[in-house]
Amino acid sequence: MDLADFHVAELAGVGPATVDKLARLGIETWQDVLFHLPFRYEDRTRITPISQLQPGVAAQVLVQVEHSGIRFGKRRTLICRASDASGAIDLRFFYFSKAQQNRLQKGTWLLCFGEVALVAGIASIVHPETQIVNDPSRPPLSDRLSPVYPVTEGVKQPLLRKLTEQVLARLQSDTLPELLPAAIRKDYQLEPLASALQFVHRPPAGIGLTTLLDPEHPARQRLALEELLAFQLAMQRLRRQFVREDAPRIAPAQQLPAQLAAQLPFQLTAAQQRVIADIARDLDAPHPMLRLVQGDVGSGKTLVAAMAALQVIEQGYQVALMAPTEILAEQHWNNFSDWFSELGLECAFLVSKLKAAERREMLHAIESGAAAMVIGTHALFQESVNFAKLALIIVDEQHRFGVHQRLALKEKGGQEGRVPHQLIMTATPIPRTLTMTAYADLATSIIDELPPGRKPIQTLVLPDSRREQVIARVEHACRRDNGQAYWVCTLIDESEELQAQAAQATAEQLTLAMPNLSVALVHGRMKPADKQAVMELFSRGKIDVLVATTVIEVGVDVPNANLMVIENSERLGLAQLHQLRGRVGRGGRDSHCVLLYQSPLSKTGQQRLEIMRATTDGFKIAEKDLEIRGPGEVLGTRQTGLMQFKVADIMRDSVLLPKVQQVATALLEQQPQNAEQLIERWLSGREEYAQV
Ligand code: ADP
Ligand code: MG
């Protein structure tokens, strides 16, 4: 007997309607019931005296009813005042039946469980679970912690407890096969799967929360390792399926990349050359490339992308570059147009804000194949866009692009059953733990070297109350030292309109404060031509202080600028701050960055800005950011779903990842059947991991 072969309909208490509801939780087989794991536990083993209750913490109390009655306020509420020897508590019910009300007679003893809140200074529990106690000297306490399962509409805790009860009764080593290779079980001295599951579903009596949540506990370790492995297998399987498709084979370049290199005022770094070679090798194969290029801010990723594009264009194909925002797209378009026009190549630009006529013109250039290089936003992949001969898609992703978006791209622009190659570039480094999990479907290249001559940036963290001094510093840097400064205005509000207004106000203020300097303004609401004009003046040194919104986060490159002030820096993510700060320190001289913040700064806020002060290494910053904010936040909303593990925690369990990666590869090759079963066991019902 194998628990995976039995359907939930064959369990007591499960009718057709429940089957459908369980399916929503990914529960179809008896095995699924077991892998729907508790995400926390409740302690009903003890009674807490009312005087020791803490707001926000769930607890169990043993109380005697003093009186109860209905209050008719904004909301009809049944309030039951009850007490123990140490104090009084209000039990509040918004939904209740006459029978429930009648149970709460004066003098009745109740065992109640629920989260405590303070309402008008009195401890209260809203909708406690209550149980009448006949003999208060012997309350029916539970002898073990109670599991709490993820629920959905129509599937509540009691049902899940009943189901797990039935399946656990049939759980033996021969009803749930061990799928992990014996070697890894031995290496890590892993606990048998059956007992690990038994332990987390029904913790033994006397086991406390500390033991249950202990990351080192053998049961948790066992499950975490298996879950990480299942996830890794799913990602690697997606990759294997993807790279089995046909793609146009792109021979190594003969001319165009060399011509671009000759036109540059500098040499490519060794790291850039290495990564360009990685890509060239991938392209020269009849299957699609799926590669991630990482590199710190300023490491020269754009140029690497351009070199890859030229190899493809030389063979007569088209290349599309997709940026996450219009501003970034525009920046890339400027760069590529500069570089490629000298090679006689046409670039097209496609974003949603184009005027109808412009759009038609661009679409035509894309369809006819006249445009070899096409740059834009997501607008590039709307249905109305038809590429003549697309062979490479470059995604400049900024952590906003998930595995499914990546895979969906293969539908776009493929010809004669052949799919385009994919190159993913990240704006800032991604912590290794995340590349090993969320990006496990990609091959990775790292540009681990900055162009020569970059100087480390000194960073200061100051409260906004020191603004006057900061202004004096800007003045000094620009007048005495002949430097230039960025003054970056950020707002919590994402709206460009408000950002622009704030920047405008700051520019006026700074103009007044520094009458001898030339202050100018650039923001996302300006016309591209006006923006361009200001940037050009700043580039040529005609402007001393450039007040900007986070527009300049992207690609602005003015080596003479050596000071940056960032307002409200506590509101930005570390990756964004790092990206912004990377705009200075490009010339040969000492550079500074001042991070202004509004007091008071939260504890996390302090930690974050301290990291920015302490290091300019993007990889270190990314690791710390992950530690503080967690994977969901770092990856952005679209990816969050990916990282919802049941047991594993990629921070805590990161030491396991290299091994997990190895074992996954070996398993897919040697025991593909086990690999399939592991994926099914842990990721059942998660569409995103299904076959592509
Ligand atoms: P990022 O990796 O942050 O996207 P960019 O591609 O925007 O970096 O490059 C940053 C700047 O460095 C650009 O001005 C680019 O022209 C310049 N650059 C790129 N490669 C080199 C190099 N090998 N030597 C000197 N400067 C370089
Ligand atoms: Mg870049």
Side-chain angles (χ1 to χ4, degrees), residues 264-270 272 294-304 331-332 335 339 396 425-428 447 450-452 454 553-559 579 582-583 586:
L264 297 170
F266 49 73
Q267 302 273 312
L268 294 173
T269 63
Q272 283 172 314
Q294 295 204 62
D296 209 340
V297 176
S299 60
K301 291 182 289 287
T302 321
L303 203 52
V304 167
Q331 189 69 44
H332 281 312
N335 277 330
W339 289 331
D396 190 358
M425 300 194 294
T426 66
T428 49
I447 311 179
L450 292 179
R454 301 270 164 87
E553 178 187 343
V554 297
V556 178
D557 196 28
V558 181
Q579 184 76 19
R583 301 303 121 204
R586 295 178 165 236

Side-chain angles (χ1 to χ4, degrees), residues 290-293 395 397 401 406 422-426 442:
L290 199 52
R291 182 170 287 276
L292 174 72
V293 171
V395 182
E397 84 156 359
F401 215 63
R406 289 202 287 277
Q422 283 189 35
L423 182 66
I424 322 284
M425 300 194 294
T426 66
L442 302 174

Side-chain angles (χ1 to χ4, degrees), residues 213-280:
L213 303 179
D214 178 5
E216 304 290 322
H217 192 280
R220 209 201 65 84
Q221 283 248 312
R222 157 74 212 225
L223 296 173
L225 191 128
E226 197 173 310
E227 181 174 35
L228 286 173
L229 181 62
F231 182 82
Q232 183 70 221
L233 286 167
M235 295 295 278
Q236 288 197 15
R237 187 180 68 175
L238 284 176
R239 174 177 177 78
R240 277 164 197 250
Q241 285 161 353
F242 182 81
V243 300
R244 217 178 288 141
E245 307 260 354
D246 294 328
R249 183 170 190 154
I250 311 291
Q254 303 296 329
Q255 289 177 2
L256 291 179
Q259 282 172 17
L260 173 58
Q263 150 196 331
L264 297 170
F266 49 73
Q267 302 273 312
L268 294 173
T269 63
Q272 283 172 314
Q273 290 177 23
R274 181 171 41 72
V275 174
I276 291 168
D278 285 348
I279 299 168

Side-chain angles (χ1 to χ4, degrees), residues 197-446:
L197 284 169
Q198 180 72 42
F199 182 85
V200 298
H201 281 290
R202 296 294 181 272
I207 293 281
L209 270 184
T210 7
T211 311
L212 258 183
L213 303 179
D214 178 5
E216 304 290 322
H217 192 280
R220 209 201 65 84
Q221 283 248 312
R222 157 74 212 225
L223 296 173
L225 191 128
E226 197 173 310
E227 181 174 35
L228 286 173
L229 181 62
F231 182 82
Q232 183 70 221
L233 286 167
M235 295 295 278
Q236 288 197 15
R237 187 180 68 175
L238 284 176
R239 174 177 177 78
R240 277 164 197 250
Q241 285 161 353
F242 182 81
V243 300
R244 217 178 288 141
E245 307 260 354
D246 294 328
R249 183 170 190 154
I250 311 291
Q254 303 296 329
Q255 289 177 2
L256 291 179
Q259 282 172 17
L260 173 58
Q263 150 196 331
L264 297 170
F266 49 73
Q267 302 273 312
L268 294 173
T269 63
Q272 283 172 314
Q273 290 177 23
R274 181 171 41 72
V275 174
I276 291 168
D278 285 348
I279 299 168
R281 219 176 310 115
D282 283 357
L283 291 173
D284 187 13
H287 301 292
M289 163 173 80
L290 199 52
R291 182 170 287 276
L292 174 72
V293 171
Q294 295 204 62
D296 209 340
V297 176
S299 60
K301 291 182 289 287
T302 321
L303 203 52
V304 167
M307 291 296 185
L310 288 175
Q311 179 181 346
V312 173
I313 292 169
E314 188 171 293
Q315 298 300 320
Y317 290 101
Q318 283 175 305
V319 177
L321 189 162
M322 174 163 65
T325 63
E326 298 205 341
I327 294 165
L328 242 181
E330 205 169 306
Q331 189 69 44
H332 281 312
W333 189 48
N334 291 335
N335 277 330
F336 278 79
S337 302
D338 276 356
W339 289 331
F340 286 15
S341 63
E342 298 208 16
L343 306 175
L345 300 172
E346 190 178 325
C347 296
F349 180 59
L350 196 71
V351 296
S352 48
K353 73 172 178 201
L354 290 188
K355 295 203 183 75
E358 277 176 311
R359 182 181 166 80
R360 258 199 313 278
E361 191 184 316
M362 292 296 177
L363 284 178
H364 184 255
I366 295 169
E367 263 172 53
S368 68
M373 183 78 211
V374 184
I375 293 165
T377 54
H378 284 80
L380 281 183
F381 294 106
Q382 285 158 356
E383 276 172 27
S384 54
V385 186
N386 297 305
F387 289 87
K389 236 185 153 189
L390 184 62
L392 170 64
I393 299 174
I394 302 171
V395 182
D396 190 358
E397 84 156 359
Q398 279 203 329
H399 299 188
R400 282 174 214 181
F401 215 63
V403 58
H404 311 104
Q405 277 105 2
R406 289 202 287 277
L407 295 172
L409 285 183
K410 80 171 194 197
E411 310 299 331
K412 310 288 184 180
Q415 266 111 34
E416 299 142 25
R418 295 190 298 178
V419 307
H421 298 278
Q422 283 189 35
L423 182 66
I424 322 284
M425 300 194 294
T426 66
T428 49
I430 303 171
R432 196 166 139 68
T433 39
L434 289 188
T435 37
M436 283 193 289
T437 44
Y439 294 82
D441 59 327
L442 302 174
T444 308
S445 297
I446 300 181

